[in-house]
Amino acid sequence: MNLDKLTKIIKDEEIVILYIKSRSCSVCTALLPKVGEAAASEKVKFIDIYIEENREVGTKYNVFTAPTIIMFAMGKEVYREGRFLRVSKLKGKIYKYKELLL
C-alpha cells in the first residue's frame, strides 16, 4: 500500500489501526491475528503492512521497530506501541475512542 492511499484511508475512517510488521519478526506473525481480531471485534479499520515494502510509511510515522501499532482517530495519531504489545491495552484504547466518537 502506498503512502497516499494509506493517508486517504486514515483521513476517511473514524478509527484506523495500522499494524507494521517485518518479514523476519516471529512476534509480528504471532500477534497479527490477535490484533486483527481486536480491531474486527470493535468494527474498526485494520491495515497491516510489511515495513520492508513500505519504507515511506515507516519514515513518515517514525517506525523503528516491529511490530508497531499506530491507532488513528479522526485522522490523528492517538496511540502507539512498539515491540512489546499488549492487545488488552489496544482493546481499551479502541473502546475509549469509539465511545468518544459516538
Side-chain angles (χ1 to χ4, degrees):
M1 173 175 299
N2 70 32
L3 184 57
D4 291 336
K5 185 175 180 182
L6 177 61
T7 302
K8 181 173 180 0
I9 292 169
I10 290 169
K11 283 183 180 178
D12 291 348
E13 298 284 334
E14 283 188 350
I15 298 176
V16 176
I17 305 295
L18 177 60
Y19 184 80
I20 302 171
K21 58 190 177 178
S22 172
R23 293 198 183 282
S24 61
C25 173
S26 60
V27 173
C28 298
T29 304
L31 278 176
L32 179 62
K34 295 175 184 175
V35 174
E37 182 180 302
S41 71
E42 292 294 331
K43 297 178 177 67
V44 299
K45 182 71 174 174
F46 177 70
I47 301 168
D48 66 293
I49 62 169
Y50 283 108
I51 194 68
E52 296 90 347
E53 298 165 4
N54 297 278
R55 297 269 181 215
E56 68 280 358
V57 173
T59 300
K60 177 173 174 68
Y61 295 110
N62 297 315
V63 174
F64 300 106
T65 188
T68 296
I69 293 176
I70 306 173
M71 186 171 99
F72 300 88
M74 303 300 289
K76 305 277 188 211
E77 181 179 329
V78 294
Y79 173 69
R80 173 188 294 248
E81 196 164 356
R83 179 77 91 208
F84 303 106
L85 311 174
R86 290 176 291 171
V87 176
S88 60
K89 189 173 180 181
L90 173 64
K91 286 181 180 180
K93 294 290 184 181
I94 294 170
Y95 180 77
K96 174 185 171 185
Y97 281 95
K98 283 197 72 157
E99 287 293 309
L100 288 172
L101 294 173
L102 289 178

